Amino acid sequence: MSAQKPLDGRRLGLVGLGRRGLAVARKLTESGARLHVWTQNTAKAVGLAEAHPLIEVEPCPRDVARYTEATLVAVNSDKALERVIFDPDEERYGVLHGTPPDGLIVDIGETGPATTRAFADRVRQSARIWIDAPITETALGGTLSVGGQDTAFARVWPVLHVLSNKVLHAGPVGAGQAIRTCGAAIHGQMVQALAEGLALAAASGVEAEALLAALADSAVGGAVLSETGRRMADREFRAGRTVRMQADLTAQAKELARAAGLALGGLDSNAAHWKALVDSGQADLDISSLILEIAETPTDVQ
């Protein structure tokens, strides 16, 4: 007799089968959930279902939601999210149109906090419930921050718990996306600080290898130093998180700060660097390419 799995008997929906969606589908089915899925690439969805008996392909997002207790949406832009949830053109095939009253719609993409709250209001007016639980690569292996009502969080917790080691109820709707945005802003400024430190070391006659080795066991050590620092030192910029992605995330953080009435000089400076890289045609490089903007772009010394 096989051991019971945490999601045995649960029927869930998943809209979007990109890199994030595929990772989520794998974890949910491994935990016993039956998945109803939809993606624009029908052949991709059918191929996935043929390989996984717990997965069933539906003809549209509405039908995914119709048969499930919660629908997770994994798409890559605010516009795509609006289209699959609300179907603004035809108003008949979106997730909202299949979700029963008090049903759960869980945005696991990376949506701007303001957009998240606006979409949640529209969903609430239809007597459905919105939860924001952005699944990043970090969240899949660490802490997942979730925004939503207490009762809704309790309902979806068993599902999210199989996706991340720790699931944190961060606050009301929008809190999960706000934490993700703030984290991205912090990360971007850490990358800038590292690039500036390496540039200063080089200008002072210190090899990048020596600086990275000296800092490895210090308070500033960690993934940014070991991974991003190594890419900077080697001038190896194959994309992990791209400059374009970081520029977009930083713009979200600036909008969050503007809405809160905060003037954040470090964030403004950091955003200007990412914009400069995008404008110079380096948007698709890894964020470690910021070293080029910091160390190799002539500037006037004040």
Side-chain angles (χ1 to χ4, degrees), residues 90-268:
E90 299 183 23
E91 297 187 347
R92 62 185 178 87
Y93 95 147
V95 168
L96 184 64
H97 304 103
T99 303
D102 291 326
L104 300 177
I105 300 174
V106 187
D107 175 22
I108 61 173
E110 298 181 48
T111 309
T115 301
T116 292
R117 294 184 179 111
F119 286 179
D121 285 341
R122 292 169 64 179
V123 166
R124 185 164 48 248
Q125 289 169 16
S126 298
R128 277 74 175 174
I129 300 170
W130 183 278
I131 294 170
D132 55 296
I135 302 283
T136 62
E137 289 186 15
T138 301
L140 278 171
T143 299
L144 172 58
S145 297
V146 182
Q149 303 170 0
D150 291 351
T151 53
F153 174 77
R155 286 169 59 189
V156 81
W157 183 88
V159 175
L160 298 179
H161 186 57
V162 307
L163 301 178
S164 293
N165 294 333
K166 182 178 181 181
V167 182
L168 170 69
H169 187 200
V173 166
Q177 297 291 2
I179 285 179
R180 174 195 58 80
T181 301
C182 294
I186 293 168
H187 187 194
Q189 291 180 70
M190 289 171 66
V191 172
Q192 179 178 334
L194 178 58
E196 290 178 351
L198 285 168
L200 181 59
S204 304
V206 175
E207 294 287 340
E209 295 284 352
L211 178 61
L212 294 176
L215 295 178
D217 296 322
S218 72
V220 298
V224 172
L225 182 72
S226 62
E227 297 174 14
T228 306
R230 169 53 50 204
R231 290 182 177 185
M232 288 180 178
D234 294 342
R235 296 301 195 266
E236 175 54 72
F237 304 133
R238 286 178 297 181
R241 176 183 290 181
T242 66
V243 168
R244 189 190 314 278
M245 292 165 61
Q246 187 62 42
D248 290 344
L249 289 166
T250 306
Q252 287 183 15
K254 286 191 65 174
E255 174 58 26
L256 199 63
R258 186 202 63 75
L262 293 177
L264 302 177
L267 180 60
D268 290 340

Side-chain angles (χ1 to χ4, degrees), residues 7-126:
L7 298 182
D8 278 347
R10 304 194 75 153
R11 218 174 256 278
L12 303 169
L14 178 62
V15 172
L17 292 173
R19 183 176 178 180
R20 186 196 329 263
L22 286 173
V24 168
R26 183 179 66 251
K27 281 181 170 280
L28 292 177
T29 53
E30 286 174 352
S31 297
R34 298 192 66 85
L35 279 188
H36 293 254
V37 304
W38 178 87
T39 190
Q40 283 188 313
N41 187 336
T42 302
K44 184 177 186 179
V46 170
L48 184 66
E50 289 174 347
H52 295 80
L54 292 176
I55 294 178
E56 183 173 344
V57 180
E58 300 295 346
C60 68
R62 176 198 61 210
D63 291 323
V64 169
R66 180 176 293 169
Y67 302 116
T68 58
E69 62 182 273
T71 302
L72 283 65
V73 185
V75 296
N76 293 326
S77 72
D78 294 2
K79 287 184 178 179
L81 182 62
E82 182 175 30
R83 186 168 63 252
V84 299
I85 297 293
F86 302 105
D87 182 22
D89 296 327
E90 299 183 23
E91 297 187 347
R92 62 185 178 87
Y93 95 147
V95 168
L96 184 64
H97 304 103
T99 303
D102 291 326
L104 300 177
I105 300 174
V106 187
D107 175 22
I108 61 173
E110 298 181 48
T111 309
T115 301
T116 292
R117 294 184 179 111
F119 286 179
D121 285 341
R122 292 169 64 179
V123 166
R124 185 164 48 248
Q125 289 169 16
S126 298

